[in-house]
Amino acid sequence: MPPVSAGVGGVRTGKYTAMLVCWLLGNGCLFSWNSMLTIVDYYGYLFPRYHPSRVLTLVYQPFAVGTLAILAYNDEKINTRKRNLFGYSLFFISTLLVLILDLATSGRGGIGTFIGICCISGAFGVADAHVQGGMVGDLSFMLPEFIQSFLAGLAASGALTSALRLITKAAFENSRDGLRKGAILFFAISSFFELLCILLYALVFPKLPIVKYYRAKAASEGSKTVSADLAAGGIHNQPDKVAQDPIVLDRLSNKQLFLQNIDYALDMFLIYALTLSIFPGFLSEDTGSHSLGAWYALVLIAMYNVWDLIGRYVPLWECIKLKSRRGLTITVLSRFLLVPAFYFTAKYGDQGWMILLTSFLGLSNGYLTVCVLTSAPKGYKGPEQNALGNILVLFLVGGIFAGVTLDWLWLIGKGW
């Protein structure tokens, strides 16, 4: 077994490289899905009768929640390396399929093409369940900065896709078939990026000294999920007695971890239930017509994504990071005041107020996500931190599912 008591200098070797890789892997976790969300104007043009901004999200979530529930329940037995590599590979294949489907149909709409897009959306959900839960669980027994970087990468994927969408819309707006050209460019870039993430996770991340250190430490505490990652990092000499030591394996069950952290789990659920009840469906379809015209929904989505990214860096200032469990719960519940705020702003306010509200929605979402996920795993052994990370991501995805379902309530009385 590799020593887990190396000097501070040795342990910290590769820290900033690992943070950069975590940021890129976080990007890859949602880059393809955010690309699909960000070209909602193209899908709205192709499928005007099917509410694509709502339906695609609603299709995505059952696959994500169901798959993640199974993976979280069996997290102790799952090879984390294979899980994450499968997830990134599925993202890559699914993104290529979106591109191939559009080229094969020559950009035509219709129910057949829409069903194909929905199937790919479900595949994105399966991939997300593998990667997001697997990565957060894996990083939970490492440095909090790694989780923060990964979560910032998740938000950065939204900000980057929004920026690219605005650029492609401006570049192709006056050209024939401009929406389609922008969408094709989007998914070509996404495919390349997902391939990059496969290579980073397979060849770079496991060989960083600081990553090997924390994985060896988790193995010494009874974790069975890191063996393949340790082997990929060049560590093969784990003794069998570690895996058989009843003291090392005396860990809390998933039920015990949940009961001890039920407030954190509910916080994650409520954060995303509120956010996804507004973003992207309400912002795309229910905010009325304003002077920005066809750019309005894209600007709102871009502002949400940019401020979500900023919010995930705010907790780096320890003086303004919210650490109180009660304080987190109160703040999460208070965000529900945004529901009437958005309703009355859409009905009576102008676009400036809507942009301001959307920015606050993103800022609070990113800030609270990082506060919860970096506070919860403390005080546990490696296997418990991994399991708790999976549980919290399960509630996060469950909150997203609840949110995209509640989002349909905005259509009541609109004759859809």
Side-chain angles (χ1 to χ4, degrees), residues 180-198:
R180 181 169 178 248
K181 289 178 181 177
I184 289 173
L185 178 61
F186 247 74
F187 282 101
I189 294 172
S190 296
S191 299
F192 170 78
F193 195 81
E194 295 300 341
L195 180 60
L196 175 64
C197 287
I198 294 171

